[in-house]
């Protein structure tokens, strides 16, 4: 097989033509690094390695671009990167970033859990659920959240004051408040305890 043309394309890619026909698009930097040029003969093994190198390079670039905007959990990052590359390339790229310290699940979990609890006022249970959704290992998620000091009553009161206090004058509003707080992961017992500061909960069945 002979490379008959290399045409630069958008987004750092180049079109590779073999024996006069379009074959594929590869990362331009990978083509240059491997000294691939028009007129060169290329066998299946060389082409396979070139495709793999290009895929990994694109995956690394995508991963770097994503973490430049915000921190990511390893699993979350792999899921995003594999949309534009193979799964294997995404895993290799993200694991390399992990080796370099640019991706760290424990660091991410601590920061994200803090935001979820202190800024969004999620319960510990709710924070663990969100961490797992981001790809954090369940054991690590529980460990990180368990080590956090959380004043459940203060968080519940902050949410009620901000969003639901004005609706507690009727049954529909009370139910709406309780359901919303339970979706955040708070227990019925904790919710009822704090609501007793706003309304009479002794004879109320939610």
């Amino acid at each position: 097989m002979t490379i008959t043309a290399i045409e630069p394309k958008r987004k750092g890619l180049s079109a590779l033509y073999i024996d006069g026909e379009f074959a594929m698009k590869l990362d331009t930097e990978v083509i240059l690094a491997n000294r691939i040029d028009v007129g060169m003969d290329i066998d299946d093994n060389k082409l396979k390695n070139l495709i793999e190198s290009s895929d990994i390079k694109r995956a690394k670039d995508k991963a770097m671009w994503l973490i430049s905007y915000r921190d990511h959990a390893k699993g979350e990052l792999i899921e995003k990167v594999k949309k534009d590359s193979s799964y294997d390339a995404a895993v290799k790229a993200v694991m390399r970033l992990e080796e370099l310290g640019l991706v760290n699940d424990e660091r991410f979990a601590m920061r994200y859990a803090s935001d979820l609890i202190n800024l969004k006022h999620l319960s510990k249970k709710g924070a663990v659920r969100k961490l797992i959704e981001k790809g954090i290992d369940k054991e690590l998620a529980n460990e990180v959240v368990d080590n956090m000091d959380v004043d459940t009553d203060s968080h519940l009161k902050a949410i009620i004051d901000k969003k639901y206090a004005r609706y507690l004058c009727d049954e529909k509003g009370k139910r709406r408040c309780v359901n919303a707080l339970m979706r955040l992961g708070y227990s019925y017992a904790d919710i009822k305890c704090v609501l007793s500061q706003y309304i009479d909960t002794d004879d109320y069945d939610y």
Side-chain angles (χ1 to χ4, degrees):
M1 298 184 295
T2 302
I3 297 172
T4 50
I6 301 174
E7 297 180 357
K9 299 295 181 180
R10 296 174 56 196
K11 300 181 179 180
L13 294 170
S14 290
L16 197 70
Y17 290 79
I18 297 177
D19 296 334
E21 296 184 357
F22 170 75
M24 65 199 69
K25 289 181 182 179
L26 297 174
D27 185 85
T28 300
E29 289 185 22
V30 170
I31 291 175
L32 294 173
N34 285 273
R35 300 180 180 180
I36 304 301
D37 207 349
V38 175
M40 178 184 291
D41 289 332
I42 189 169
D43 58 26
D44 288 337
N45 188 55
K46 177 67 174 178
L47 185 60
K48 180 181 178 182
N49 290 336
L50 202 62
I51 293 170
E52 183 178 350
S53 296
S54 176
D55 201 20
I56 293 174
K57 171 66 166 52
R58 304 301 290 181
K60 286 181 180 177
D61 288 347
K62 178 66 177 292
M64 288 294 294
W65 180 78
L66 287 168
I67 65 173
S68 71
Y69 283 90
R70 71 165 177 83
D71 203 8
H72 283 70
K74 181 169 64 176
E76 175 193 23
L77 193 57
I78 290 172
E79 287 299 310
K80 289 185 177 181
V81 172
K82 75 175 187 179
K83 293 178 181 178
D84 298 308
S85 66
S86 69
Y87 176 75
D88 285 345
V91 170
K92 289 178 181 178
V94 174
M95 287 185 69
R96 178 54 180 158
L97 296 187
E98 185 179 33
E99 291 173 0
L100 295 172
L102 298 175
V103 176
N104 184 296
D105 274 1
E106 184 176 0
R107 181 183 65 211
F108 172 84
M110 292 174 67
R111 291 177 180 174
Y112 191 49
S114 179
D115 287 345
L116 290 171
I117 290 173
N118 296 317
L119 299 180
K120 297 187 177 181
H121 300 300
L122 262 68
S123 66
K124 283 191 170 186
K125 180 181 177 181
V128 168
R129 183 172 65 245
K130 287 291 185 180
L131 286 172
I132 293 173
E133 288 176 1
K134 287 291 186 180
I136 297 297
D137 177 75
K138 183 178 180 180
E139 184 176 346
L140 176 59
N142 278 299
E143 180 182 343
V144 167
V145 173
D146 283 345
N147 288 331
M148 297 181 68
D149 292 325
V150 179
D151 187 338
T152 299
D153 287 0
S154 293
H155 283 305
L156 281 168
K157 194 173 186 304
I159 300 170
I160 294 170
D161 287 342
K162 183 178 181 179
K163 294 184 176 182
Y164 303 107
R166 62 185 179 275
Y167 300 118
L168 298 176
C169 56
D170 59 39
E171 300 304 307
K172 182 179 179 181
K174 295 171 187 175
R175 191 171 294 108
R176 175 185 176 186
C177 176
V178 171
N179 290 338
L181 295 175
M182 291 186 74
R183 283 195 297 272
L184 291 175
Y186 290 100
S187 70
Y188 172 73
D190 287 338
I191 294 170
K192 185 174 181 179
C193 179
V194 174
L195 273 180
S196 66
Q197 301 175 36
Y198 297 83
I199 59 175
D200 183 5
T201 60
D202 290 340
D203 299 320
Y204 191 81
D205 183 9
Y206 297 97

